Amino acid sequence: MFSWRNFLGKLQSNIFGVVNITNDSFTGDGLLNNPEKIPEVYKLASKLNIEFLDIGCVSTKPNFTPVSTEDELMRLNTFLGYIDSNFYHSIDSFNPIIADKALKNNFSVVNDISGSKDQKMIQTVKRHSAGLIVSHRNQNSSSIHEKIDYNNVVEDVKKDLRMQVKNILDSGVRKEQIAIDLGLGFAKTQEQSALLLESVGQFVGEYPLVVGYSRKKFTSLLQASEEELLLHCQNQGVSLVRLHFID
């Protein structure tokens, strides 16, 4: 059974490295057309002391083009041809078929940015006794990018996450399998995302907290360097900081 407490205790660094096996990433660092560079990515990750990698095979940028399950599987299989078992891996997907394939092939965590509303995904995590990162999603949003009117974004996100986690626990996933993510940049204005990042300390507690602000436009509102943002998260007790590290 996966346990975040045990897993985090194995890591020397709390950097959660982003690897995109795409050709349309908003950061321009996708490796779909150059998979032979994946071993170089591992070497770079090792040099930077990044042990835990988040592998994404679809872009989720605003107005992204959906990818079929067959195409996402093809991309995942491309990555699996180069996978290095000396690293830990998470699959960044909201497709339970993709998650199942990854968890059968040296992945230990599902990073589900859709908010884990799909019972098939929850049951996939349960069946594999895997780790799950639950991204914030308001129950009334019809998509991961639909903007929501919040009365108090910090308190409303706390409330939404409590409801999301309760649903997952009620479905049989164990507490120690769950981590939470504020969903910065998803269904929020830049000002709301910036405020949430400033307030990360208020979300640290019962569940490990994953924060992903890397290369997102809203960070410009905070007038802080990448190093200062990382230090802020670490000082506030964030468990994992999801960062792009490939130029």
Side-chain angles (χ1 to χ4, degrees):
M1 174 70 68
F2 182 92
S3 160
W4 275 107
R5 181 177 180 178
N6 293 340
F7 178 76
L8 292 169
K10 298 176 184 178
L11 301 179
Q12 297 180 30
S13 166
N14 70 341
I15 304 301
F16 188 23
V18 179
V19 179
N20 292 311
I21 311 300
T22 61
N23 57 5
D24 57 349
S25 168
F26 82 96
T27 58
D29 60 356
L31 296 169
L32 181 61
N33 296 328
N34 303 102
E36 70 280 359
K37 292 185 178 180
I38 293 174
E40 297 175 26
V41 169
Y42 277 120
K43 289 180 182 178
L44 178 59
S46 181
K47 181 179 179 180
L48 297 173
N49 198 33
I50 299 173
E51 307 155 275
F52 187 26
L53 300 175
D54 193 30
I55 313 302
C57 299
V58 295
S59 172
T60 52
K61 64 185 179 182
N63 301 313
F64 69 93
T65 301
V67 172
S68 68
T69 297
E70 291 74 17
D71 282 346
E72 192 174 356
L73 271 175
M74 179 272 293
R75 296 175 179 191
L76 177 57
N77 283 328
T78 296
F79 174 78
L80 291 176
Y82 294 90
I83 193 169
D84 187 335
S85 60
N86 293 310
F87 289 76
Y88 300 107
H89 300 88
S90 165
I91 183 68
D92 181 358
S93 181
F94 44 81
N95 187 324
I97 295 173
I98 304 302
D100 182 67
K101 174 76 172 183
L103 293 171
K104 290 176 178 176
N105 287 274
N106 204 46
F107 283 65
S108 52
V109 173
V110 175
N111 182 14
D112 182 4
I113 65 163
S114 72
S116 303
K117 298 175 72 172
D118 185 348
Q119 270 296 323
K120 290 182 180 178
M121 179 64 89
I122 295 173
Q123 293 307 312
T124 297
V125 170
K126 180 181 175 182
R127 185 170 63 254
H128 286 278
S129 299
L132 176 64
I133 300 172
V134 183
S135 288
H136 167 257
R137 182 171 175 183
N138 183 275
Q139 62 179 338
N140 296 318
S141 64
S142 60
S143 73
I144 61 173
H145 285 296
E146 181 188 0
K147 297 291 190 296
I148 298 294
D149 291 327
Y150 296 101
N151 293 320
N152 180 318
V153 69
V154 172
E155 294 304 318
D156 290 349
V157 168
K158 286 181 184 179
K159 180 180 177 182
D160 290 339
L161 280 168
R162 283 195 295 268
M163 293 177 61
Q164 290 174 257
V165 169
K166 182 180 184 303
N167 176 60
I168 294 165
L169 291 171
D170 289 346
S171 297
V173 174
R174 296 173 68 89
K175 181 177 180 178
E176 58 262 34
Q177 294 173 254
I178 299 172
I180 58 172
D181 185 318
L182 305 183
L184 302 179
F186 290 96
K188 301 169 184 71
T189 65
Q190 292 192 36
E191 291 77 11
Q192 289 168 343
S193 289
L195 178 57
L196 286 168
L197 181 52
E198 286 183 314
S199 308
V200 288
Q202 296 191 44
F203 294 87
V204 172
E206 192 171 3
Y207 295 91
L209 177 62
V210 181
V211 172
Y213 57 79
S214 179
R215 299 182 184 176
K216 293 181 179 178
K217 290 181 179 179
F218 75 84
T219 57
S220 64
L221 299 178
L222 298 172
Q223 298 181 334
S225 67
E226 287 288 320
E227 292 76 13
E228 289 170 330
L229 291 175
L230 175 59
L231 187 61
H232 165 67
C233 289
Q234 292 173 331
N235 288 342
Q236 293 297 312
V238 171
S239 298
L240 289 170
V241 182
R242 187 177 181 274
L243 293 180
H244 295 83
F245 67 101
I246 305 169
D247 292 330

